[in-house]
Amino acid sequence: MSDLNEKEFDELDEDNENYITLTDDDGKDISFEILDTIEYKERIFAVLLPFEDTDDEVVILEVIPAEDPEYDDFVSVDDEELLEAVFAEFQKKCEDDED
């Protein structure tokens, strides 16, 4: 998948805010289900599941608030340790929700 640096999102269905479409650097639209947002060290991350991906791997992008809240930027995260920490927080949150 191409890098999704600093792309604004467009909702697939205005009635369902759990789905977004991001445009990658090659101009290709990729649709995601928003599984959750995680606040970690005063930063916000989105945990996304691509519709087209069949291996159930999630994508974690940092959310950078824009002036217009409907068009936040999503930035790829290159730091593997940060990705692992955010994913661990996501897993913990999912476990807490199940209890």
Side-chain angles (χ1 to χ4, degrees), residues 2-60:
S2 298
D3 192 22
L4 295 170
N5 269 343
E6 300 178 10
K7 297 297 170 189
E8 39 186 56
F9 72 90
D10 181 24
E11 293 179 17
L12 288 176
D13 180 347
E14 291 185 18
D15 294 331
N16 191 341
E17 294 181 8
N18 290 329
Y19 301 95
I20 61 172
T21 298
L22 298 174
T23 304
D24 69 12
D25 290 339
D26 297 326
K28 180 182 174 192
D29 288 343
I30 303 171
S31 297
F32 296 91
E33 178 181 359
I34 303 171
L35 299 178
D36 207 345
T37 55
I38 303 295
E39 187 170 339
Y40 182 76
K41 293 191 176 182
E42 299 181 16
R43 295 163 69 180
I44 300 172
F45 298 88
V47 181
L48 309 171
L49 182 64
F51 285 151
E52 297 174 4
D53 218 354
T54 58
D55 58 9
D56 291 333
E57 287 189 22
V58 298
V59 174
I60 298 174

Side-chain angles (χ1 to χ4, degrees), residues 77-94:
V77 179
D78 296 328
D79 182 341
E80 283 297 319
E81 288 181 25
L82 177 58
L83 286 172
E84 289 175 16
V86 171
F87 187 68
E89 288 294 316
F90 169 69
Q91 289 178 310
K92 180 181 174 187
K93 189 173 179 183
C94 288

